[in-house]
Amino acid sequence: MAQANALNRLLLHAIIIIVGLLMLYPILWLISSSFKPSNLIFTDLSLWPKEVTLGNYIKGWAGISRVKFSTFFVNSFIVASLCVLGNLLSCSLAAYAFGRLDFSLKKLWFSIMLLTIMLPHHVTIIPQYILFKQFNWIDTYYPLTVPKWLATDAFFIFLMVQFIRGLPKELDESATIDGCGQAQIYWRIILPLAVPALITTAIFTFIWTWDDFFSQLLYLNTAKLYTIPLGLRLFMDSSGDSNWGALFAMSVLSLVPSLVIFFSCQKYFVEGISTSGIKG
């Protein structure tokens, strides 16, 4: 019986390792190809390059269309940072209101907020574009960042509401007895305890903004304002003369910030997921 269980565990681990390697293969091939000369990228499919070169990284970092690739990195950091800060502040305020305060039609407003999660993003694209064009915000970062400061991401509000509801209300009552108002309870009591939910929100917001291509393509027209996804697109030429080596090299570098943030905050990320409404 013990041998059968050990054999089952061995088979299970073997299957998991094989599936894991299959899932990792595209990433490994991307990294490997970024170090290959251009003429070997699509002819040499092995993960270990026959010839190793750093030329793709040098050419890619030099940029394209008279814009260095470092500019795309800076632009992406600006947009992602503003979106993270906006979501943390606005969504936590909205979540505190739904989770702790009593106001008229609270359940109705909360239901409407939840319904917006099910609303397809594509339904609002044209009205939003017309609105932002009326504001003369096209080709600026405003359409990408300002909505984040207005608690428009209902998913993160729901996430934080579920977390805040799990905190003891006795903490609020004790703070009220000590003379704290609602603003002080939010800032001094709720926010420090809601760090796992805040970090989960920050990670999701950063990665979704960092990888977003469609919205940035829709609102940005000037190459100097391009973020990394749009900058990578410049390496692809519709005539077929694409610089694949530089594209792969810069794609590898673009993965680094997301991976660093995810793995450095993984502990809080798992804690935030397990103690919030995502668990059902």
Side-chain angles (χ1 to χ4, degrees), residues 197-257:
L198 294 173
I199 290 180
T200 302
T201 300
I203 292 174
F204 273 123
T205 303
F206 182 87
I207 292 178
W208 289 352
T209 306
W210 189 266
D211 295 337
D212 183 29
F213 175 78
F214 181 76
S215 298
Q216 296 168 8
L217 177 66
L218 192 63
Y219 295 116
L220 300 179
N221 301 321
T222 304
K224 288 186 178 180
L225 296 177
Y226 278 6
T227 54
I228 287 177
L230 300 183
L232 291 174
R233 179 175 169 270
L234 295 178
F235 289 110
M236 299 182 66
D237 193 325
S238 59
S239 64
D241 189 21
S242 301
N243 191 342
W244 294 106
L247 172 63
F248 291 162
M250 293 303 100
S251 296
V252 172
L253 292 183
S254 70
L255 294 175
V256 174

Side-chain angles (χ1 to χ4, degrees), residues 41 81 146 179 183 205 263 277:
I41 289 178
S81 300
V146 171
T205 303
F263 285 111

Side-chain angles (χ1 to χ4, degrees), residues 3-276:
Q3 290 182 345
N5 290 335
L7 182 60
N8 289 335
R9 284 199 299 272
L10 183 62
L11 287 174
L12 178 62
H13 289 166
I15 293 173
I16 292 174
I17 291 173
I18 292 173
V19 173
L21 289 175
L22 289 175
M23 294 177 68
L24 283 175
Y25 178 78
I27 301 296
L28 298 176
W29 185 85
L30 174 70
I31 296 173
S32 172
S33 298
S34 68
F35 291 101
K36 295 177 182 177
S38 298
N39 60 331
L40 294 179
I41 289 178
F42 296 109
T43 57
D44 178 17
L45 299 181
S46 63
L47 293 180
W48 191 258
K50 295 178 181 177
E51 296 181 29
V52 178
T53 177
L54 294 177
N56 294 328
Y57 285 88
I58 296 173
K59 291 179 182 177
W61 194 254
I64 193 169
S65 298
R66 300 180 181 178
V67 182
K68 292 184 178 180
F69 206 84
S70 58
T71 302
F72 303 140
F73 260 92
V74 172
N75 294 341
S76 282
F77 271 114
I78 292 173
V79 173
S81 300
L82 289 174
C83 290
V84 169
L85 292 175
N87 262 350
L88 289 179
L89 180 62
S90 62
C91 292
S92 63
L93 281 170
Y96 177 72
F98 283 122
R100 282 295 202 257
L101 304 183
D102 292 322
F103 51 90
S104 58
L105 303 177
K106 176 180 173 180
K107 291 184 178 179
L108 174 64
W109 292 120
F110 188 70
S111 300
I112 293 174
M113 185 272 295
L114 289 180
L115 285 175
T116 61
I117 298 178
M118 307 171 195
L119 190 67
H121 173 63
H122 300 84
V123 174
T124 60
I125 289 175
I126 294 178
Q128 280 184 345
Y129 185 87
I130 295 174
L131 181 66
F132 293 144
K133 190 175 182 181
Q134 293 293 327
F135 291 163
N136 290 323
W137 284 3
I138 303 302
D139 204 22
T140 69
Y141 293 147
Y142 293 135
L144 304 174
T145 57
V146 171
K148 304 297 182 184
W149 293 81
L150 302 176
T152 56
D153 282 330
F155 172 76
F156 297 126
I157 298 175
F158 176 73
L159 177 77
M160 292 188 194
V161 167
Q162 297 302 97
F163 192 92
I164 290 174
R165 283 176 175 171
L167 300 177
K169 286 191 176 180
E170 288 77 8
L171 295 172
D172 300 27
E173 295 169 358
S174 300
T176 303
I177 293 173
D178 290 339
C180 292
Q182 294 296 340
Q184 289 176 311
I185 294 174
Y186 160 77
W187 187 256
R188 294 185 176 181
I189 306 296
I190 299 299
L191 279 189
L193 294 175
V195 167
L198 294 173
I199 290 180
T200 302
T201 300
I203 292 174
F204 273 123
T205 303
F206 182 87
I207 292 178
W208 289 352
T209 306
W210 189 266
D211 295 337
D212 183 29
F213 175 78
F214 181 76
S215 298
Q216 296 168 8
L217 177 66
L218 192 63
Y219 295 116
L220 300 179
N221 301 321
T222 304
K224 288 186 178 180
L225 296 177
Y226 278 6
T227 54
I228 287 177
L230 300 183
L232 291 174
R233 179 175 169 270
L234 295 178
F235 289 110
M236 299 182 66
D237 193 325
S238 59
S239 64
D241 189 21
S242 301
N243 191 342
W244 294 106
L247 172 63
F248 291 162
M250 293 303 100
S251 296
V252 172
L253 292 183
S254 70
L255 294 175
V256 174
S258 297
L259 293 177
V260 169
I261 288 177
F262 178 79
F263 285 111
S264 61
C265 301
Q266 187 180 18
K267 173 187 173 184
Y268 297 100
F269 175 74
V270 174
E271 187 178 351
I273 292 293
S274 62
T275 54
S276 67

